[in-house]
Each structure stands twice: as C-alpha cells, then as structure tokens.
Coordinates of all heavy atoms in Angstrom, one line a residue:
M1 N 2.2 5.1 -12.5 CA 3.5 5.2 -11.9 C 3.4 4.8 -10.4 O 4.3 4.2 -9.9 CB 4.0 6.6 -12.1 CG 5.4 6.8 -11.5 SD 6.1 8.4 -11.9 CE 4.8 9.6 -11.5
S2 N 2.4 5.2 -9.7 CA 2.3 4.9 -8.3 C 2.2 3.4 -8.1 O 2.7 2.8 -7.1 CB 1.1 5.6 -7.6 OG -0.1 5.2 -8.2
V3 N 1.5 2.7 -9.0 CA 1.4 1.2 -8.9 C 2.8 0.6 -9.1 O 3.2 -0.3 -8.3 CB 0.4 0.6 -10.0 CG1 0.5 -0.9 -10.0 CG2 -1.0 1.1 -9.7
A4 N 3.5 1.1 -10.1 CA 4.9 0.5 -10.3 C 5.8 0.8 -9.1 O 6.5 -0.1 -8.7 CB 5.5 1.2 -11.5
L5 N 5.7 2.0 -8.5 CA 6.5 2.3 -7.3 C 6.1 1.3 -6.1 O 6.9 0.8 -5.4 CB 6.3 3.7 -6.9 CG 7.2 4.2 -5.8 CD1 8.7 4.1 -6.2 CD2 6.9 5.7 -5.5
S6 N 4.8 1.1 -6.0 CA 4.3 0.2 -4.9 C 4.8 -1.2 -5.1 O 5.2 -1.9 -4.2 CB 2.8 0.3 -4.9 OG 2.3 -0.6 -3.9
V7 N 4.7 -1.7 -6.4 CA 5.1 -3.1 -6.7 C 6.6 -3.2 -6.5 O 7.1 -4.2 -5.9 CB 4.7 -3.5 -8.1 CG1 5.3 -4.8 -8.5 CG2 3.1 -3.5 -8.2
W8 N 7.4 -2.2 -6.9 CA 8.8 -2.3 -6.8 C 9.2 -2.3 -5.3 O 10.1 -3.0 -4.8 CB 9.5 -1.1 -7.5 CG 11.0 -1.2 -7.5 CD1 11.8 -0.2 -7.0 CD2 11.9 -2.2 -8.0 NE1 13.2 -0.6 -7.1 CE2 13.2 -1.8 -7.7 CE3 11.6 -3.5 -8.6 CZ2 14.3 -2.6 -8.1 CZ3 12.7 -4.3 -8.9 CH2 14.0 -3.8 -8.7
S9 N 8.5 -1.5 -4.5 CA 8.7 -1.4 -3.1 C 8.4 -2.8 -2.4 O 9.2 -3.3 -1.6 CB 7.9 -0.3 -2.4 OG 8.1 -0.3 -1.0
A10 N 7.3 -3.4 -2.8 CA 7.0 -4.7 -2.3 C 8.0 -5.8 -2.7 O 8.4 -6.6 -1.9 CB 5.6 -5.1 -2.8
R11 N 8.5 -5.6 -3.9 CA 9.5 -6.6 -4.4 C 10.8 -6.4 -3.6 O 11.4 -7.4 -3.2 CB 9.8 -6.3 -5.9 CG 11.0 -6.9 -6.5 CD 10.7 -8.2 -7.1 NE 11.9 -8.6 -7.9 CZ 12.7 -9.5 -7.5 NH1 12.6 -10.1 -6.3 NH2 13.7 -9.9 -8.3
V12 N 11.2 -5.2 -3.4 CA 12.4 -4.9 -2.7 C 12.4 -5.3 -1.2 O 13.3 -5.8 -0.7 CB 12.8 -3.4 -2.8 CG1 13.9 -3.0 -1.9 CG2 13.2 -3.1 -4.3
H13 N 11.3 -5.0 -0.6 CA 11.1 -5.3 0.9 C 10.5 -6.6 1.2 O 9.8 -6.7 2.2 CB 10.3 -4.1 1.5 CG 11.0 -2.8 1.5 ND1 12.1 -2.5 2.2 CD2 10.7 -1.7 0.8 CE1 12.5 -1.3 2.0 NE2 11.7 -0.8 1.1
G14 N 10.8 -7.6 0.4 CA 10.3 -9.0 0.7 C 10.7 -9.4 2.1 O 11.6 -8.9 2.7
T15 N 10.1 -10.5 2.5 CA 10.4 -11.0 3.8 C 11.6 -11.8 4.0 O 12.1 -12.0 5.1 CB 9.2 -11.9 4.3 OG1 9.0 -13.0 3.4 CG2 7.9 -11.1 4.4
E16 N 12.2 -12.3 2.9 CA 13.4 -13.1 3.0 C 14.6 -12.3 2.6 O 14.5 -11.3 1.9 CB 13.3 -14.3 2.0 CG 12.3 -15.3 2.5 CD 12.3 -16.6 1.6 OE1 13.3 -16.8 0.9 OE2 11.3 -17.3 1.6
R17 N 15.8 -12.7 3.1 CA 17.0 -11.9 2.9 C 17.3 -11.9 1.4 O 17.7 -10.9 0.9 CB 18.1 -12.6 3.6 CG 19.5 -11.9 3.4 CD 19.5 -10.6 4.1 NE 20.9 -10.0 3.9 CZ 21.1 -8.8 3.5 NH1 20.1 -8.0 3.2 NH2 22.2 -8.3 3.3
R18 N 17.2 -13.0 0.7 CA 17.4 -13.0 -0.8 C 16.2 -13.4 -1.5 O 15.4 -14.3 -1.0 CB 18.5 -14.1 -1.1 CG 19.8 -13.7 -0.4 CD 20.9 -13.6 -1.5 NE 22.1 -13.2 -0.9 CZ 22.8 -12.1 -1.1 NH1 22.4 -11.3 -2.0 NH2 24.0 -11.9 -0.6
W19 N 15.9 -12.8 -2.6 CA 14.7 -13.1 -3.4 C 14.9 -14.3 -4.2 O 16.0 -14.6 -4.7 CB 14.5 -11.9 -4.3 CG 13.8 -10.8 -3.6 CD1 14.4 -9.7 -3.0 CD2 12.4 -10.6 -3.5 NE1 13.4 -8.9 -2.5 CE2 12.2 -9.4 -2.8 CE3 11.3 -11.4 -3.9 CZ2 10.9 -9.0 -2.5 CZ3 10.0 -10.9 -3.6 CH2 9.9 -9.7 -2.9
K20 N 13.8 -15.0 -4.4 CA 13.8 -16.1 -5.3 C 13.0 -15.6 -6.5 O 12.1 -14.9 -6.4 CB 13.1 -17.3 -4.7 CG 13.8 -17.9 -3.5 CD 13.1 -19.1 -2.9 CE 13.8 -19.6 -1.7 NZ 13.5 -18.9 -0.5
R21 N 13.4 -16.1 -7.7 CA 12.8 -15.5 -8.9 C 11.3 -15.7 -8.9 O 10.5 -14.8 -9.3 CB 13.3 -16.2 -10.2 CG 14.8 -15.8 -10.4 CD 15.2 -16.2 -11.8 NE 16.6 -15.9 -12.1 CZ 17.0 -14.7 -12.4 NH1 16.2 -13.7 -12.5 NH2 18.3 -14.5 -12.6
W22 N 10.7 -16.8 -8.4 CA 9.3 -17.0 -8.5 C 8.5 -16.1 -7.6 O 7.4 -15.9 -7.7 CB 9.0 -18.5 -8.1 CG 9.5 -18.9 -6.7 CD1 10.6 -19.6 -6.5 CD2 8.8 -18.7 -5.5 NE1 10.7 -19.8 -5.1 CE2 9.7 -19.2 -4.5 CE3 7.6 -18.1 -5.1 CZ2 9.3 -19.2 -3.1 CZ3 7.3 -18.0 -3.7 CH2 8.2 -18.6 -2.8
E23 N 9.2 -15.4 -6.6 CA 8.5 -14.5 -5.7 C 8.0 -13.3 -6.5 O 7.0 -12.6 -6.0 CB 9.4 -14.0 -4.6 CG 9.7 -15.1 -3.6 CD 10.6 -14.6 -2.5 OE1 11.8 -14.5 -2.8 OE2 10.1 -14.4 -1.4
A24 N 8.6 -12.9 -7.6 CA 8.2 -11.8 -8.3 C 7.3 -12.1 -9.5 O 6.8 -11.2 -10.2 CB 9.4 -11.0 -8.8
E25 N 7.0 -13.3 -9.7 CA 6.1 -13.7 -10.8 C 4.7 -13.6 -10.4 O 4.2 -14.5 -9.6 CB 6.5 -15.1 -11.3 CG 7.9 -15.3 -11.8 CD 8.2 -14.4 -13.0 OE1 7.3 -14.1 -13.8 OE2 9.3 -14.0 -13.1
F26 N 4.0 -12.6 -10.8 CA 2.6 -12.4 -10.4 C 1.7 -13.2 -11.4 O 2.1 -14.2 -12.0 CB 2.3 -10.9 -10.4 CG 3.2 -10.2 -9.4 CD1 4.2 -9.5 -9.9 CD2 2.9 -10.2 -8.1 CE1 5.1 -8.8 -9.0 CE2 3.7 -9.5 -7.2 CZ 4.8 -8.8 -7.6
T27 N 0.5 -12.9 -11.4 CA -0.5 -13.7 -12.2 C -0.5 -13.4 -13.7 O -1.2 -14.1 -14.4 CB -1.9 -13.5 -11.6 OG1 -2.2 -12.1 -11.6 CG2 -2.0 -14.0 -10.2
C28 N 0.1 -12.4 -14.1 CA 0.1 -12.1 -15.6 C 1.5 -11.9 -16.1 O 2.4 -11.6 -15.3 CB -0.8 -10.9 -15.9 SG -0.1 -9.3 -15.2
S29 N 1.7 -12.1 -17.3 CA 3.0 -12.0 -17.9 C 3.6 -10.6 -17.9 O 4.9 -10.5 -17.9 CB 3.0 -12.5 -19.4 OG 2.1 -11.7 -20.1
C30 N 2.8 -9.6 -17.8 CA 3.4 -8.2 -17.8 C 4.0 -7.9 -16.4 O 4.6 -6.9 -16.2 CB 2.3 -7.2 -18.2 SG 1.1 -7.0 -16.9
C31 N 3.7 -8.7 -15.4 CA 4.2 -8.4 -14.0 C 5.3 -9.2 -13.5 O 5.4 -9.5 -12.4 CB 3.0 -8.5 -13.1 SG 1.6 -7.4 -13.5
G32 N 6.2 -9.6 -14.4 CA 7.3 -10.5 -14.0 C 8.3 -9.7 -13.2 O 8.1 -8.6 -12.7
A33 N 9.5 -10.3 -12.9 CA 10.4 -9.8 -12.0 C 10.8 -8.4 -12.1 O 10.9 -7.7 -11.1 CB 11.7 -10.7 -12.1
G34 N 11.0 -7.8 -13.2 CA 11.5 -6.4 -13.4 C 10.4 -5.5 -13.9 O 10.8 -4.3 -14.2
W35 N 9.2 -5.9 -14.1 CA 8.2 -5.1 -14.7 C 8.1 -3.7 -14.0 O 8.1 -2.7 -14.7 CB 6.8 -5.8 -14.6 CG 5.7 -4.9 -15.0 CD1 5.2 -4.6 -16.2 CD2 4.9 -4.2 -14.0 NE1 4.2 -3.8 -16.1 CE2 3.9 -3.5 -14.8 CE3 4.8 -4.0 -12.7 CZ2 3.0 -2.6 -14.2 CZ3 3.9 -3.2 -12.1 CH2 3.0 -2.5 -12.9
A36 N 7.9 -3.7 -12.7 CA 7.7 -2.4 -12.0 C 8.9 -1.5 -12.2 O 8.8 -0.3 -12.5 CB 7.5 -2.6 -10.5
R37 N 10.1 -2.0 -12.1 CA 11.3 -1.2 -12.2 C 11.5 -0.7 -13.6 O 11.9 0.4 -13.9 CB 12.6 -2.0 -11.8 CG 13.8 -1.2 -11.7 CD 13.7 0.0 -10.8 NE 14.9 0.8 -10.7 CZ 15.3 1.7 -11.6 NH1 14.6 2.0 -12.6 NH2 16.4 2.4 -11.4
D38 N 11.1 -1.5 -14.6 CA 11.1 -1.1 -16.0 C 10.2 0.1 -16.2 O 10.6 1.1 -16.8 CB 10.6 -2.2 -16.9 CG 11.6 -3.4 -17.1 OD1 12.8 -3.2 -16.8 OD2 11.1 -4.4 -17.5
K39 N 9.0 0.1 -15.6 CA 8.0 1.2 -15.7 C 8.6 2.4 -15.0 O 8.4 3.6 -15.5 CB 6.7 0.8 -15.2 CG 6.0 -0.3 -16.0 CD 5.8 0.2 -17.4 CE 5.2 -0.9 -18.2 NZ 5.3 -0.6 -19.7
L40 N 9.2 2.3 -13.9 CA 9.8 3.4 -13.2 C 10.9 4.0 -14.0 O 11.0 5.3 -14.1 CB 10.3 3.0 -11.8 CG 9.2 2.6 -10.8 CD1 9.8 2.0 -9.6 CD2 8.4 3.8 -10.4
Q41 N 11.7 3.2 -14.7 CA 12.8 3.8 -15.5 C 12.2 4.6 -16.7 O 12.7 5.6 -17.0 CB 13.7 2.7 -16.0 CG 14.9 3.2 -16.7 CD 15.8 4.0 -15.7 OE1 16.0 3.6 -14.5 NE2 16.3 5.1 -16.1
E42 N 11.1 4.0 -17.3 CA 10.4 4.8 -18.4 C 9.9 6.1 -17.9 O 10.1 7.1 -18.5 CB 9.3 3.9 -18.9 CG 9.6 2.7 -19.7 CD 8.4 1.9 -20.1 OE1 7.3 2.5 -20.2 OE2 8.6 0.7 -20.4
A43 N 9.3 6.1 -16.7 CA 8.8 7.4 -16.1 C 10.0 8.3 -15.9 O 9.8 9.5 -16.2 CB 8.1 7.1 -14.8
L44 N 11.1 7.9 -15.3 CA 12.2 8.7 -15.0 C 12.7 9.4 -16.3 O 13.2 10.5 -16.3 CB 13.3 8.0 -14.3 CG 13.0 7.6 -12.9 CD1 14.1 6.6 -12.4 CD2 13.0 8.8 -12.0
N45 N 12.7 8.6 -17.4 CA 13.1 9.2 -18.7 C 12.2 10.1 -19.3 O 12.6 11.0 -20.2 CB 13.4 8.0 -19.7 CG 14.6 7.2 -19.2 OD1 15.5 7.6 -18.5 ND2 14.6 5.9 -19.6
L46 N 10.9 10.1 -19.0 CA 9.9 10.9 -19.7 C 9.4 12.1 -18.9 O 8.9 13.0 -19.4 CB 8.7 10.0 -20.0 CG 8.9 8.9 -21.0 CD1 7.7 8.0 -21.2 CD2 9.3 9.5 -22.4
L47 N 9.5 12.0 -17.5 CA 9.0 13.1 -16.7 C 9.8 14.4 -16.9 O 11.0 14.3 -17.1 CB 9.0 12.7 -15.2 CG 8.0 11.7 -14.8 CD1 8.3 11.2 -13.4 CD2 6.6 12.3 -14.8
P48 N 9.2 15.5 -16.6 CA 10.0 16.8 -16.5 C 11.0 16.7 -15.4 O 10.8 15.9 -14.5 CB 8.9 17.8 -16.2 CG 7.6 17.2 -16.4 CD 7.8 15.7 -16.3
P49 N 12.1 17.4 -15.5 CA 13.2 17.3 -14.6 C 12.8 17.3 -13.1 O 13.3 16.5 -12.3 CB 14.1 18.5 -14.9 CG 13.8 18.8 -16.3 CD 12.4 18.4 -16.5
R50 N 12.0 18.2 -12.7 CA 11.6 18.3 -11.2 C 10.9 17.1 -10.7 O 11.2 16.5 -9.7 CB 10.8 19.6 -11.0 CG 10.4 19.7 -9.5 CD 9.5 20.9 -9.2 NE 10.4 21.8 -8.4 CZ 10.1 23.0 -8.2 NH1 9.1 23.6 -8.8 NH2 10.9 23.7 -7.4
A51 N 9.9 16.6 -11.5 CA 9.1 15.4 -11.1 C 10.0 14.2 -11.2 O 10.0 13.3 -10.3 CB 7.9 15.3 -12.1
A52 N 10.9 14.2 -12.2 CA 11.9 13.0 -12.3 C 12.8 13.0 -11.1 O 13.1 11.9 -10.6 CB 12.6 13.1 -13.6
A53 N 13.2 14.1 -10.6 CA 14.1 14.2 -9.5 C 13.5 13.7 -8.2 O 14.1 12.9 -7.4 CB 14.6 15.6 -9.3
E54 N 12.2 14.0 -8.0 CA 11.5 13.6 -6.9 C 11.3 12.0 -6.9 O 11.5 11.4 -5.9 CB 10.1 14.3 -6.8 CG 10.2 15.7 -6.5 CD 8.9 16.4 -6.5 OE1 7.8 15.8 -6.5 OE2 8.9 17.7 -6.6
L55 N 10.9 11.5 -8.1 CA 10.7 10.1 -8.2 C 12.1 9.4 -8.1 O 12.2 8.3 -7.4 CB 10.1 9.8 -9.5 CG 9.9 8.3 -9.9 CD1 9.0 7.6 -8.8 CD2 9.3 8.1 -11.3
R56 N 13.1 10.0 -8.7 CA 14.4 9.3 -8.6 C 14.9 9.1 -7.2 O 15.5 8.1 -6.9 CB 15.4 10.2 -9.4 CG 16.8 9.5 -9.5 CD 17.8 10.3 -10.5 NE 17.3 10.2 -11.8 CZ 16.7 11.1 -12.5 NH1 16.5 12.3 -12.0 NH2 16.3 11.0 -13.8
M57 N 14.6 10.1 -6.3 CA 15.0 9.9 -4.9 C 14.4 8.7 -4.3 O 15.0 7.9 -3.6 CB 14.7 11.2 -4.1 CG 15.6 12.3 -4.4 SD 15.4 13.8 -3.3 CE 13.7 13.7 -2.7
Q58 N 13.1 8.5 -4.6 CA 12.4 7.3 -4.0 C 12.9 6.0 -4.6 O 13.1 5.0 -3.9 CB 10.9 7.4 -4.3 CG 10.3 8.6 -3.6 CD 8.8 8.7 -4.0 OE1 8.1 7.8 -3.9 NE2 8.4 9.9 -4.3
V59 N 13.1 6.0 -5.9 CA 13.6 4.8 -6.6 C 15.0 4.5 -6.2 O 15.3 3.3 -6.0 CB 13.5 5.0 -8.2 CG1 14.1 3.9 -8.9 CG2 12.0 5.2 -8.6
E60 N 15.8 5.4 -6.1 CA 17.2 5.2 -5.7 C 17.3 4.6 -4.3 O 18.1 3.7 -4.0 CB 18.1 6.4 -5.8 CG 18.4 6.8 -7.2 CD 19.2 8.1 -7.3 OE1 19.4 8.8 -6.3 OE2 19.6 8.4 -8.5
R61 N 16.4 5.0 -3.4 CA 16.4 4.4 -2.0 C 16.0 2.9 -2.1 O 16.6 2.0 -1.5 CB 15.5 5.1 -1.1 CG 16.0 6.4 -0.5 CD 15.2 6.9 0.6 NE 13.8 7.3 0.1 CZ 13.5 8.6 -0.1 NH1 14.3 9.6 0.0 NH2 12.2 8.8 -0.5
L62 N 15.0 2.6 -2.9 CA 14.6 1.2 -3.1 C 15.7 0.4 -3.8 O 16.0 -0.7 -3.4 CB 13.3 1.2 -3.9 CG 12.1 1.7 -3.2 CD1 10.9 1.8 -4.1 CD2 11.7 0.8 -2.0
D63 N 16.3 1.0 -4.8 CA 17.4 0.3 -5.5 C 18.6 -0.1 -4.6 O 19.1 -1.2 -4.7 CB 17.9 1.2 -6.7 CG 17.0 1.3 -7.8 OD1 16.0 0.6 -7.9 OD2 17.2 2.2 -8.7
E64 N 18.9 0.8 -3.7 CA 20.0 0.5 -2.7 C 19.6 -0.7 -1.9 O 20.5 -1.6 -1.7 CB 20.2 1.7 -1.8 CG 20.9 2.9 -2.5 CD 21.1 4.0 -1.6 OE1 21.4 3.8 -0.4 OE2 21.1 5.2 -2.1
V65 N 18.4 -0.8 -1.4 CA 18.0 -1.9 -0.7 C 18.0 -3.2 -1.5 O 18.5 -4.2 -1.1 CB 16.5 -1.7 -0.1 CG1 16.0 -3.0 0.6 CG2 16.5 -0.6 0.9
F66 N 17.5 -3.1 -2.8 CA 17.5 -4.2 -3.7 C 19.0 -4.7 -3.9 O 19.2 -5.9 -3.9 CB 16.8 -3.8 -5.0 CG 16.7 -4.9 -6.0 CD1 15.8 -6.0 -5.7 CD2 17.4 -5.0 -7.2 CE1 15.6 -7.0 -6.6 CE2 17.2 -6.0 -8.1 CZ 16.3 -7.0 -7.8
L67 N 19.9 -3.8 -4.2 CA 21.3 -4.1 -4.4 C 21.9 -4.8 -3.2 O 22.7 -5.8 -3.3 CB 22.1 -2.9 -4.8 CG 21.9 -2.4 -6.2 CD1 22.5 -1.0 -6.3 CD2 22.5 -3.3 -7.2
G68 N 21.5 -4.4 -2.0 CA 22.0 -5.1 -0.8 C 21.4 -6.4 -0.5 O 22.0 -7.2 0.2
R69 N 20.2 -6.7 -1.1 CA 19.6 -8.0 -0.8 C 19.8 -9.0 -1.9 O 19.3 -10.1 -1.8 CB 18.1 -7.7 -0.6 CG 17.8 -6.9 0.6 CD 16.3 -6.8 0.8 NE 15.8 -8.0 1.3 CZ 14.6 -8.2 1.7 NH1 13.7 -7.3 1.6 NH2 14.3 -9.4 2.2
T70 N 20.4 -8.6 -3.0 CA 20.6 -9.5 -4.2 C 22.0 -9.5 -4.6 O 22.9 -8.8 -4.0 CB 19.7 -9.0 -5.4 OG1 20.2 -7.7 -5.7 CG2 18.2 -9.0 -5.0
H71 N 22.3 -10.4 -5.5 CA 23.7 -10.4 -6.0 C 23.7 -10.5 -7.6 O 22.6 -10.9 -8.1 CB 24.5 -11.6 -5.4 CG 24.0 -12.9 -5.7 ND1 23.0 -13.5 -5.0 CD2 24.2 -13.8 -6.7 CE1 22.7 -14.7 -5.5 NE2 23.4 -14.9 -6.6
H72 N 24.8 -10.2 -8.2 CA 24.9 -10.2 -9.6 C 24.8 -11.6 -10.1 O 25.4 -12.5 -9.6 CB 26.2 -9.5 -10.0 CG 26.4 -9.6 -11.5 ND1 25.7 -8.9 -12.4 CD2 27.3 -10.4 -12.2 CE1 26.2 -9.2 -13.6 NE2 27.1 -10.1 -13.5
E73 N 24.0 -11.8 -11.2 CA 23.9 -13.1 -11.8 C 24.8 -13.1 -13.0 O 24.6 -12.5 -14.0 CB 22.4 -13.3 -12.3 CG 22.2 -14.6 -13.1 CD 22.7 -15.9 -12.4 OE1 22.3 -16.2 -11.3 OE2 23.6 -16.5 -13.0
P74 N 26.0 -13.8 -12.9 CA 27.0 -13.7 -14.0 C 26.5 -14.3 -15.3 O 27.1 -13.9 -16.3 CB 28.2 -14.5 -13.4 CG 27.7 -15.3 -12.2 CD 26.4 -14.6 -11.8
M75 N 25.5 -15.2 -15.3 CA 25.1 -15.8 -16.5 C 24.0 -15.0 -17.2 O 23.5 -15.3 -18.3 CB 24.6 -17.2 -16.3 CG 25.6 -18.1 -15.7 SD 27.1 -18.2 -16.7 CE 26.5 -19.2 -18.1
A76 N 23.6 -13.9 -16.6 CA 22.5 -13.1 -17.1 C 23.0 -12.3 -18.4 O 24.1 -12.0 -18.6 CB 22.0 -12.0 -16.1
D77 N 22.0 -12.1 -19.3 CA 22.3 -11.3 -20.5 C 22.8 -9.9 -20.2 O 22.0 -9.2 -19.6 CB 21.0 -11.3 -21.4 CG 21.2 -10.6 -22.7 OD1 22.3 -10.0 -22.9 OD2 20.2 -10.6 -23.5
P78 N 24.0 -9.5 -20.6 CA 24.5 -8.2 -20.3 C 23.7 -7.1 -20.9 O 23.8 -5.9 -20.5 CB 25.9 -8.2 -20.7 CG 26.0 -9.4 -21.7 CD 25.0 -10.3 -21.3
A79 N 22.9 -7.4 -21.9 CA 22.1 -6.4 -22.5 C 20.9 -6.0 -21.7 O 20.3 -4.9 -21.9 CB 21.6 -6.8 -23.9
L80 N 20.6 -6.8 -20.7 CA 19.4 -6.5 -19.8 C 19.8 -5.3 -18.9 O 20.9 -5.1 -18.5 CB 19.0 -7.7 -19.0 CG 18.5 -8.9 -19.8 CD1 18.3 -10.1 -18.9 CD2 17.2 -8.5 -20.5
A81 N 18.8 -4.6 -18.4 CA 19.0 -3.6 -17.4 C 19.5 -4.3 -16.1 O 19.3 -5.4 -15.8 CB 17.6 -2.9 -17.0
W82 N 20.3 -3.5 -15.3 CA 21.0 -4.1 -14.1 C 20.0 -4.8 -13.2 O 20.4 -5.9 -12.6 CB 21.8 -3.0 -13.4 CG 20.9 -2.0 -12.7 CD1 20.6 -0.8 -13.2 CD2 20.4 -2.1 -11.4 NE1 19.8 -0.1 -12.2 CE2 19.7 -0.9 -11.1 CE3 20.3 -3.1 -10.4 CZ2 19.0 -0.7 -10.0 CZ3 19.6 -2.9 -9.2 CH2 19.0 -1.7 -9.0
W83 N 18.8 -4.4 -13.0 CA 17.9 -5.0 -12.1 C 17.4 -6.4 -12.6 O 16.9 -7.2 -11.8 CB 16.7 -4.1 -11.7 CG 15.9 -3.6 -12.9 CD1 14.9 -4.2 -13.5 CD2 16.2 -2.4 -13.6 NE1 14.4 -3.4 -14.6 CE2 15.2 -2.3 -14.6 CE3 17.1 -1.3 -13.4 CZ2 15.2 -1.2 -15.5 CZ3 17.1 -0.3 -14.3 CH2 16.1 -0.2 -15.3
H84 N 17.5 -6.6 -13.9 CA 17.2 -7.9 -14.4 C 18.4 -8.9 -14.3 O 18.2 -10.1 -14.6 CB 16.8 -7.8 -15.9 CG 15.5 -7.2 -16.1 ND1 14.3 -7.8 -15.8 CD2 15.1 -5.9 -16.6 CE1 13.3 -7.0 -16.1 NE2 13.8 -5.9 -16.6
R85 N 19.5 -8.4 -14.0 CA 20.7 -9.2 -13.9 C 21.1 -9.5 -12.5 O 22.2 -9.9 -12.2 CB 21.9 -8.5 -14.6 CG 21.7 -8.3 -16.1 CD 22.9 -7.8 -16.8 NE 23.6 -6.7 -16.1 CZ 23.6 -5.4 -16.4 NH1 23.0 -5.0 -17.5 NH2 24.3 -4.5 -15.7
R86 N 20.2 -9.4 -11.5 CA 20.4 -9.7 -10.1 C 19.5 -10.8 -9.7 O 18.4 -10.9 -10.1 CB 20.2 -8.4 -9.3 CG 21.1 -7.3 -9.9 CD 21.6 -6.3 -8.9 NE 22.0 -6.7 -7.6 CZ 23.3 -6.8 -7.2 NH1 24.3 -6.7 -8.1 NH2 23.6 -7.1 -6.0
C87 N 19.9 -11.5 -8.7 CA 19.1 -12.6 -8.1 C 19.4 -12.7 -6.7 O 20.3 -12.1 -6.1 CB 19.2 -13.9 -8.8 SG 20.9 -14.6 -8.9

C-alpha cells in the first residue's frame, strides 16, 4: 500500500501542469496510468474503518490535486473509474 501511495503521489505531483499519458507508463504492464490509484481504492475497500479513514485522508488530498491538474476525457469508457477517465 505504501508503494501505491508513493507512486500515486509521484503521478499527481508531476512537473508539468497537465499530464501526458506516457508519463505514467512505467516499465511493466501492471504499472500503467491508474495502477497505483486502483490499488489504493482496493485498500480503502478492504481496510478496517479506522485505517481506511487515515488512508482516505491522504488519498483525497492527492485526488484533489489530480483533479485540478487534469480534465475529463469525454471519449473515455464511462465504466472505468474516474481517475482512468482524466487526462
């Protein structure tokens, strides 16, 4: 979980104002654009309430930054999680 939080933070706090899709493509297929946020969501759903609340505070702060630095991709599959539908 700490790796996912670290990767999501690095993704969110990139050096450019807007992210390009290739910036989040790491060296393996499991580490694509939303991998870290997917893992964090899984953890939020599985952790006990107190631990989930602590993690949720950190994730929500990062999500706010991500939302401010990206925009909705209208052509994205609506079945995907919201963070996969932003660019």
Side-chain angles (χ1 to χ4, degrees):
M1 178 172 51
S2 64
V3 171
L5 189 59
S6 177
V7 170
W8 184 238
S9 180
R11 165 95 167 100
V12 166
H13 293 293
T15 58
E16 292 186 19
R17 178 73 178 129
R18 298 241 179 238
W19 279 90
K20 296 179 180 81
R21 290 198 184 276
W22 58 264
E23 289 180 286
E25 298 300 329
F26 300 101
T27 57
C28 66
S29 61
C30 71
C31 299
W35 168 84
R37 186 58 178 82
D38 290 340
K39 293 300 173 193
L40 291 169
Q41 191 62 44
E42 287 176 26
L44 289 169
N45 292 334
L46 295 173
L47 285 170
R50 178 180 250 166
E54 292 174 18
L55 178 61
R56 186 172 291 106
M57 286 188 335
Q58 296 176 48
V59 172
E60 285 177 353
R61 281 193 294 261
L62 292 171
D63 288 349
E64 286 179 34
V65 173
F66 186 68
L67 285 166
R69 296 185 77 175
T70 60
H71 62 274
H72 175 72
E73 173 55 58
M75 300 304 289
D77 182 353
L80 295 173
W82 68 264
W83 54 89
H84 288 289
R85 298 187 316 250
R86 305 212 38 104
C87 58

